[in-house]
Amino acid sequence: VDKKVALKDIAQKVGVSVALVSYVLNGKEKIARISQEMAEKIRAVAAELNYQPNLIAKSLKSGRTNTIGLIVADISNPFFSSIARIVEDEARKYGYVVIFGSSDENADKQQSVIDVFENRLVDAFIIAAASGTEKQITALKNRGVPVILIDRYFSGDFTDSVRLDDTLAAEQAVNQLVLNNRKKIALVTYNTKALHMQHREEGYKNALKKNNIPFKNSLLIKINYQNIEAEVAEKIAKLIDPLQVDAFLCATNSLGVAVLRTVYRRNIQVPGEIALISFDKSDVFDFFYSPVTYVSQSIEEMGKAAVTLAVQKLKDPTPERNSTIIIQPMLVIRKSCGGKTSD
Amino acid sequence: VDKKVALKDIAQKVGVSVALVSYVLNGKEKIARISQEMAEKIRAVAAELNYQPNLIAKSLKSGRTNTIGLIVADISNPFFSSIARIVEDEARKYGYVVIFGSSDENADKQQSVIDVFENRLVDAFIIAAASGTEKQITALKNRGVPVILIDRYFSGDFTDSVRLDDTLAAEQAVNQLVLNNRKKIALVTYNTKALHMQHREEGYKNALKKNNIPFKNSLLIKINYQNIEAEVAEKIAKLIDPLQVDAFLCATNSLGVAVLRTVYRRNIQVPGEIALISFDKSDVFDFFYSPVTYVSQSIEEMGKAAVTLAVQKLKDPTPERNSTIIIQPMLVIRKSCGGKTSD
DNA sequence: CTGAAAGCGCTTACAG
DNA sequence: CTGAAAGCGCTTACAG
């Protein structure tokens, strides 16, 4: 087990001060006007000793860690792990590394992850914020830490965010179902005040109204995040025995998969008896006997935008306005929604 | 934007030295024999100022960062993101935070991730090592950094590892297929020297031999990791037109999904025309019209074991032997493998 | 019971 | 062209 080599070691070997070595190795020999040959010699010895800078020491000096903290609901959810991958790659391009934490949609847990990350002097946060945590986010901002919201957002323009046009997305989905002659369209969503979910609900209601379909409360199904499979099974059971719906719009991929599972178990024909559209993407949607129509949001676009915003804020920490980047939804139409398709 | 409060600020306000504050806040007032009332006062002021320790400064002193570096092939692969989630939760219990990187099965990329993490003084690594990187791993170990291999491993006992009994797993799968009267069993695996894949191949061959089925090279399908979907489609096409196989064993979930996609597109009946077993788990396997039989490995067990080993090594850095924890596979039998099942 | 001081590894304004 | 010194925020052996 070798001892790590430090600037001091190089300095000693070359017979020069630590300061010189630091300048040279940081490419500041011009500024410090260090002689060519000395610079060469220092670089040679550094290479010979295989010098690796101690980034922790650099961080203590600079207050920067080149680390981005990514907080999502659950890293094992494919939606979030795909975002994580994009964020990782994009961050690396700028010399940043990503540390992650899952909030499980729980405000307390989110706060504790924020605390831990902040004490480690994470440079910026990218957060898919749990519902009801706007105070956490504003507090962070007030402490001068850049925060980019992703997927989730709050009303008001208090931080940068990257999000889907949720209202539009839901409207498009409902319109498609109506186009395919569905009139009894249920929305399966989470029991939450989270704004992105509220907007999906709003889009659903808007589209019903525009199509002259009365909204029925019994067709608005709210599921608790902690208990998805069981609640979906139970609440859907009530709607299909006897059949009171002819379509489901599922507000996330987890809900979509849960609904599929129930529908599949109960042997309900898709799209014969009920049509189906889900938000987000899932491999599962491709393999269901009736491939599932879904609202696609470009994860690549979202992840890249989030990192770009973070890096910008880091470069110029005092911009007066916050950016909101709105990703356009795309409805990928396949068999499950009941129209004529090639798939 | 407030300035962060430091020990100094508390010390000034209380009118005492920084050392005292440090002792008290670290619960070492006993050792330093500090008076009750002074300790109380210091704690009160710390709370009042909402003091948060600077973990970077602590790290510089201690050489510890309480960070675990997790390196996998691709964090967006459900297998690895599930592991990441377990590792995250488990690490948190011990006060560790997780930083992650994807290697894309590329040795150079893996080395660059290792370098970055090491310069940040990550305390320990958990790595699903890319093929041919044993030198990287031994080098890390020689530098005194604890490394736990997960999922992947190398021959020889040179570091701790947590892995599946790959040979046994493949044997069990093949035996099941034989039991269901399959004789022309193809193995779809990666074109790699990685030992876990070699062992799966070995298990496949062992089981064939034990069942008196001659091994045919044409039924050993090797796919390059970089181009899964296309190669699977192409190579499988050759085997099914005309039909020269009656079963596929897929060595990972990505391969399983790719094979399913091809089989599905070409409208081959499962298990009527060909039977199917895959390694790993996937939501997709549940929704295929013929639910897919798979080799289940307990990700929870693996993740927990890896973190436990890491924490142990951190506590006691000089144990003479390395631990190898071997997870037992479990074959989850469903319709796709062609026997009689309830599913 | 408490404080002054050194040191973790680095950067950088200052002096010469 | 180069070095001595202060300082980032913390810990801890030492002295009193």
Side-chain angles (χ1 to χ4, degrees):
Chain A
V1 180
D2 325 338
K3 185 78 177 53
K4 284 279 269 177
V5 353
L7 289 188
K8 193 173 45 177
D9 303 309
I10 301 174
Q12 272 169 4
K13 185 142 185 182
V14 180
V16 85
S17 78
V18 169
L20 273 213
V21 180
S22 171
Y23 283 124
V24 170
L25 263 27
N26 285 300
K28 295 190 179 162
E29 63 251 47
K30 297 279 160 51
I31 299 161
R33 284 169 305 175
I34 292 157
S35 69
Q36 270 292 104
E37 42 187 351
M38 185 52 79
E40 284 311 323
K41 200 165 168 189
I42 288 172
R43 263 191 285 269
V45 172
E48 180 194 340
L49 297 182
N50 189 28
Y51 170 71
Q52 299 291 120
N54 180 326
L55 264 32
I56 296 293
K58 283 199 179 201
S59 291
L60 182 57
K61 214 36 289 284
S62 67
R64 290 280 185 105
T65 55
N66 280 278
T67 304
I68 290 178
L70 174 69
I71 306 180
V72 298
D74 179 5
I75 191 73
S76 73
N77 178 319
F79 177 75
F80 291 119
S81 67
S82 299
I83 286 182
R85 182 58 207 269
I86 305 289
V87 169
E88 177 200 344
D89 289 347
E90 204 61 16
R92 196 201 313 271
K93 289 185 196 160
Y94 296 101
Y96 286 83
V97 133
V98 182
I99 188 172
F100 73 89
S102 305
S103 73
D104 289 322
E105 305 285 5
N106 176 319
D108 290 342
K109 197 155 177 211
Q110 180 176 303
Q111 183 64 59
S112 98
V113 176
I114 289 177
D115 290 344
V116 172
F117 285 9
E118 206 182 352
N119 290 345
R120 282 155 185 275
L121 301 189
V122 151
D123 291 336
F125 283 85
I126 296 178
I127 309 185
S131 159
T133 60
E134 40 269 84
K135 276 189 190 152
Q136 294 179 16
I137 307 297
T138 36
L140 247 188
K141 289 228 64 162
N142 289 341
R143 276 175 259 136
V145 186
V147 185
I148 318 295
L149 294 180
I150 192 164
D151 188 45
R152 321 301 178 75
Y153 45 94
F154 301 110
S155 54
D157 172 43
F158 64 80
T159 191
D160 294 279
S161 69
V162 182
R163 65 183 196 82
L164 184 68
D165 189 336
D166 291 290
T167 316
L168 178 63
E171 284 185 25
Q172 287 179 350
V174 170
N175 284 339
Q176 184 63 40
L177 290 168
V178 172
L179 199 70
N180 297 347
N181 291 315
R182 308 294 164 150
K183 311 268 183 212
K184 292 175 284 186
I185 302 167
L187 175 69
V188 184
T189 182
Y190 285 126
N191 185 15
T192 172
K193 289 184 174 149
L195 207 57
H196 68 307
M197 286 296 148
Q198 294 297 325
H199 282 167
R200 290 176 194 189
E201 188 176 323
E202 205 173 295
Y204 162 77
K205 287 177 177 167
N206 287 350
L208 289 183
K209 182 171 276 176
K210 283 182 192 158
N211 288 291
N212 293 316
I213 299 175
F215 165 73
K216 285 178 72 174
N217 208 36
S218 63
L219 294 185
L220 181 58
I221 303 171
K222 301 211 165 185
I223 304 295
N224 288 304
Y225 179 82
Q226 291 72 25
N227 192 19
I228 299 176
E229 292 287 339
E231 287 193 21
V232 164
E234 181 201 326
K235 299 204 170 169
I236 286 190
K238 285 186 189 154
L239 279 179
I240 57 180
D241 199 7
L243 205 61
Q244 304 148 55
V245 271
D246 57 15
F248 283 114
L249 173 58
C250 307
T252 72
N253 59 358
S254 301
L255 292 171
V257 170
V259 168
L260 268 191
R261 221 180 279 275
T262 301
V263 160
Y264 188 56
R265 286 222 184 93
R266 302 195 143 247
N267 210 17
I268 298 165
Q269 290 310 301
V270 177
E273 297 176 271
I274 66 135
L276 210 69
I277 296 184
S278 180
F279 272 71
D280 306 337
K281 199 176 155 99
S282 165
D283 276 342
V284 169
F285 297 165
D286 302 347
F287 284 98
F288 192 61
Y289 65 83
S290 175
V292 175
T293 297
Y294 63 92
V295 174
S296 164
Q297 43 186 328
S298 172
I299 282 175
E300 183 146 347
E301 218 180 317
M302 285 182 57
K304 283 190 179 174
V307 174
T308 306
L309 286 180
V311 171
Q312 275 175 8
K313 269 273 152 63
L314 252 17
K315 258 195 190 147
D316 177 13
T318 52
E320 61 286 6
R321 292 184 69 248
N322 295 308
S323 312
T324 299
I325 293 181
I326 298 183
I327 306 289
Q328 290 308 302
M330 198 181 80
L331 195 63
V332 178
I333 298 178
R334 302 195 293 187
K335 222 174 178 177
S336 78
C337 66
K340 288 173 192 159
T341 74
S342 55
D343 207 337
Chain B
V1 181
D2 325 337
K3 185 79 175 54
K4 284 279 269 176
V5 353
L7 288 188
K8 192 174 48 178
D9 303 309
I10 301 174
Q12 270 168 6
K13 185 142 186 182
V14 181
V16 86
S17 79
V18 168
L20 272 214
V21 180
S22 171
Y23 282 124
V24 170
L25 263 28
N26 287 300
K28 295 189 179 164
E29 62 251 47
K30 297 279 160 53
I31 299 162
R33 284 169 305 173
I34 291 156
S35 69
Q36 270 292 105
E37 42 187 349
M38 184 52 79
E40 283 312 323
K41 201 166 170 190
I42 288 172
R43 263 192 285 270
V45 172
E48 179 194 342
L49 297 182
N50 188 28
Y51 171 72
Q52 299 291 117
N54 180 326
L55 263 30
I56 297 294
K58 284 198 179 202
S59 291
L60 182 57
K61 240 308 93 195
S62 66
R64 290 279 183 105
T65 56
N66 279 276
T67 305
I68 289 177
L70 174 69
I71 306 180
V72 297
D74 179 3
I75 191 74
S76 73
N77 178 320
F79 177 73
F80 291 120
S81 66
S82 299
I83 286 182
R85 183 58 208 268
I86 305 289
V87 169
E88 177 201 343
D89 290 346
E90 204 59 17
R92 195 200 314 270
K93 288 185 197 161
Y94 296 101
Y96 287 82
V97 133
V98 182
I99 187 172
F100 73 90
S102 305
S103 72
D104 288 323
E105 304 285 5
N106 175 319
D108 290 342
K109 198 156 177 213
Q110 179 177 305
Q111 183 64 61
S112 99
V113 175
I114 288 178
D115 290 344
V116 172
F117 285 8
E118 205 180 352
N119 290 345
R120 284 157 184 273
L121 300 189
V122 152
D123 292 336
F125 282 86
I126 296 178
I127 309 185
S131 159
T133 60
E134 41 269 84
K135 275 189 191 150
Q136 294 179 16
I137 307 297
T138 36
L140 248 187
K141 288 228 65 163
N142 289 341
R143 278 174 256 133
V145 186
V147 184
I148 318 295
L149 293 181
I150 192 166
D151 187 44
R152 321 301 178 76
Y153 45 94
F154 301 110
S155 56
D157 172 44
F158 64 80
T159 191
D160 295 278
S161 69
V162 182
R163 66 185 197 79
L164 184 68
D165 188 336
D166 291 291
T167 315
L168 177 63
E171 284 186 25
Q172 286 179 350
V174 171
N175 284 341
Q176 183 64 40
L177 290 168
V178 173
L179 200 70
N180 297 347
N181 291 315
R182 307 293 163 151
K183 312 265 183 212
K184 292 175 286 184
I185 302 167
L187 175 67
V188 184
T189 182
Y190 286 126
N191 186 14
T192 172
K193 288 184 174 149
L195 208 55
H196 68 308
M197 286 296 148
Q198 294 298 326
H199 282 166
R200 290 176 194 188
E201 188 176 324
E202 207 173 292
Y204 162 78
K205 288 176 177 168
N206 287 350
L208 289 183
K209 183 171 278 177
K210 283 182 193 159
N211 288 290
N212 293 315
I213 300 174
F215 165 73
K216 286 178 71 174
N217 208 36
S218 63
L219 294 185
L220 182 56
I221 303 172
K222 301 211 166 184
I223 303 296
N224 288 304
Y225 180 81
Q226 292 72 26
N227 192 20
I228 300 176
E229 293 286 338
E231 287 194 21
V232 164
E234 182 201 326
K235 299 204 171 170
I236 286 191
K238 285 185 190 155
L239 280 179
I240 58 180
D241 199 7
L243 204 62
Q244 305 149 56
V245 272
D246 56 17
F248 283 115
L249 173 58
C250 305
T252 71
N253 59 357
S254 301
L255 292 170
V257 170
V259 167
L260 268 191
R261 221 181 278 276
T262 301
V263 159
Y264 188 55
R265 284 221 184 93
R266 302 195 143 246
N267 209 16
I268 297 164
Q269 289 311 301
V270 176
E273 296 177 272
I274 68 135
L276 210 69
I277 296 184
S278 181
F279 271 72
D280 306 338
K281 197 178 158 101
S282 166
D283 276 343
V284 168
F285 297 165
D286 302 347
F287 284 99
F288 192 62
Y289 64 82
S290 176
V292 176
T293 298
Y294 62 93
V295 174
S296 163
Q297 43 186 327
S298 171
I299 283 175
E300 184 146 347
E301 217 180 319
M302 285 181 57
K304 284 190 178 174
V307 174
T308 306
L309 285 180
V311 171
Q312 275 174 8
K313 268 274 153 60
L314 252 17
K315 260 196 190 148
D316 177 15
T318 52
E320 61 284 8
R321 292 183 70 247
N322 296 307
S323 312
T324 299
I325 293 181
I326 298 183
I327 306 289
Q328 290 310 301
M330 198 180 80
L331 194 64
V332 178
I333 298 178
R334 302 195 293 188
K335 222 173 177 177
S336 78
C337 66
K340 286 172 194 159
T341 74
S342 54
D343 209 335

